[in-house]
Amino acid sequence: MKIKVEIDEEVKAIEVLIRNNAWNEEVEQLMERLKERKRPYFVGRKDDMQHVFRAEDIFCVFTEQDTIMVRTNQGNFEMRERLYELERDLPGNQFVRLSKSVIANLDELSRFEAYFNGTLCVYFRSGEKEYVSRHYVQGIKKAFQWKRKGL
């Protein structure tokens, strides 16, 4: 992939041009990355207090007894949003779905281990672990492939 940046004082808004010999999966993924919205902050509850944090502070998002929780270095916080809403608002190049109930920050993962029946066991830098269902293994591989490309 070749990247070219032009700075022109007469340009009023950012313009992105993608050139390729065909519309393919890589072009599609680049388009999705460019369309992503980045939410500047998230608000979670702990006891009677509201806590504000950024996406990069989140280790993982998970469900616990029908409640959506976010784990950060400050602790666990209860969220009002549904899991799919948080997945949509988190940067797609930084977060990946591990299962129906867990979304993880790629930067917080330390290693993978092949597990029974095509599943994976994912270890976080904190020492905690989660299991990846077979359905989501391919998504994790793609996420790390894009991470290596720097997108």
Side-chain angles (χ1 to χ4, degrees), residues 57-62 69-73 75-76 128 130:
D57 298 331
I58 298 173
F59 297 158
C60 69
V61 182
F62 60 98
M69 303 293 291
V70 169
R71 182 173 293 124
T72 71
N73 58 359
N76 293 346
E128 296 180 35
E130 287 287 342

Side-chain angles (χ1 to χ4, degrees), residues 57-109:
D57 298 331
I58 298 173
F59 297 158
C60 69
V61 182
F62 60 98
T63 58
E64 185 176 88
Q65 299 173 350
D66 296 331
T67 303
I68 306 302
M69 303 293 291
V70 169
R71 182 173 293 124
T72 71
N73 58 359
Q74 300 169 12
N76 293 346
F77 301 97
E78 185 177 333
M79 302 298 289
R80 287 197 171 144
E81 296 93 338
R82 298 199 177 275
L83 197 62
Y84 72 88
E85 294 171 327
L86 290 170
E87 181 178 30
R88 179 193 65 209
D89 292 346
L90 290 166
N93 63 336
Q94 188 177 358
F95 288 85
V96 66
R97 181 76 83 129
L98 299 183
S99 65
K100 285 184 178 181
S101 60
V102 179
I103 300 169
N105 184 338
L106 293 170
D107 296 334
E108 294 299 324
L109 302 179

Side-chain angles (χ1 to χ4, degrees), residues 127-144:
E128 296 180 35
K129 66 181 177 179
E130 287 287 342
Y131 294 95
V132 180
S133 56
R134 285 185 307 179
H135 179 73
Y136 295 98
V137 170
Q138 194 61 31
I140 291 172
K141 288 179 181 179
K142 279 186 179 180
F144 274 104

